[in-house]
Amino acid sequence: MVTVRTEVQVRPGVEGDLGDLTDIYNHYVRHTPITFDTAVFTPEERRPWLLSHPEDGPYRLMVAVEGDPTGNSQRILGYATSSPYRPKPAYATSVEVTVYLAPDAGRRGIGTLLYEALFEALAGEDLHRAYAGIAQPNEASTRLHERFGFQHVGTYREVGRKFGRYWDVAWYEKAL
């Protein structure tokens, strides 16, 4: 059996990624409490979200892609974003960050690659803190965030209801 090595690259997200990014997100909507959205989205419904993450500034979208051996196509393995923490002006130097991976892309270091690229891109921005809310339980996400220096600051108990039960959300912060 021949093993084909593929390379994973991280780049800013572009409009052509919208369908694949929507598919990844909808997997989590349908099957997990990781997002508290309860209805799937069409790509057109997600377009404002994509457009709110330009290639520069504090609100970024980084996409991990895996090229095929011929270099003719790229499969999206996941994405990371930084988004406004809250809409009021005094929160402008804080962002909320998140990572979503394709269902079969876990345990390959893709989340680490995405956060490395995201935090490198944010290094020159006027930002003070990054926050992450992690629906519990989610050991993989907790480990990823702790690896990047996030510290637990509190847990909202039974803050969201999905799939007929209540879920806790642990909040983490990181100085930027």
Side-chain angles (χ1 to χ4, degrees):
M1 179 170 159
V2 176
T3 302
V4 177
R5 185 166 182 229
T6 58
E7 185 175 328
V8 176
Q9 296 180 338
V10 178
R11 59 166 173 74
V14 296
E15 186 130 2
D17 299 331
L18 185 57
D20 291 335
L21 297 176
T22 302
D23 289 344
I24 290 170
Y25 189 73
N26 282 340
H27 165 79
Y28 291 92
V29 172
R30 285 185 187 102
H31 303 290
T32 78
I34 288 172
T35 175
F36 284 176
D37 278 317
T38 58
V40 297
F41 291 85
T42 66
E44 280 306 309
E45 291 169 328
R46 288 286 281 177
R47 187 173 307 284
W49 164 83
L50 182 126
L51 295 176
S52 71
H53 295 90
E55 284 194 40
D56 59 0
Y59 311 131
R60 304 285 182 106
L61 166 62
M62 304 304 291
V63 175
V65 294
E66 178 178 54
D68 72 9
T70 66
N72 292 328
S73 67
Q74 294 186 331
R75 182 171 87 90
I76 294 179
L77 299 172
Y79 64 92
T81 61
S82 59
S83 301
Y85 174 68
R86 297 276 190 260
K88 295 183 177 166
Y91 290 116
T93 60
S94 297
V95 290
E96 186 172 346
V97 297
T98 192
V99 171
Y100 285 92
L101 300 180
D104 62 343
R107 298 181 183 208
R108 294 178 49 193
I110 307 300
T112 297
L113 291 173
L114 284 163
Y115 262 180
E116 285 173 349
L118 179 66
F119 290 122
E120 182 179 320
L122 295 177
E125 299 297 332
D126 180 23
L127 293 173
H128 185 63
R129 290 276 190 272
Y131 294 92
I134 304 171
Q136 297 297 301
N138 190 335
E139 291 179 30
S141 186
T142 297
R143 282 192 309 272
L144 174 68
H145 287 86
E146 289 175 346
R147 189 175 316 121
F148 278 88
F150 282 81
Q151 295 184 348
H152 182 253
V153 293
T155 299
Y156 294 168
R157 302 284 177 205
E158 297 183 350
V159 68
R161 186 172 65 185
K162 187 172 179 180
F163 304 134
R165 67 168 276 202
Y166 287 96
W167 300 91
D168 296 347
V169 174
W171 282 93
Y172 288 78
E173 75 175 358
K174 169 187 174 67
L176 296 176

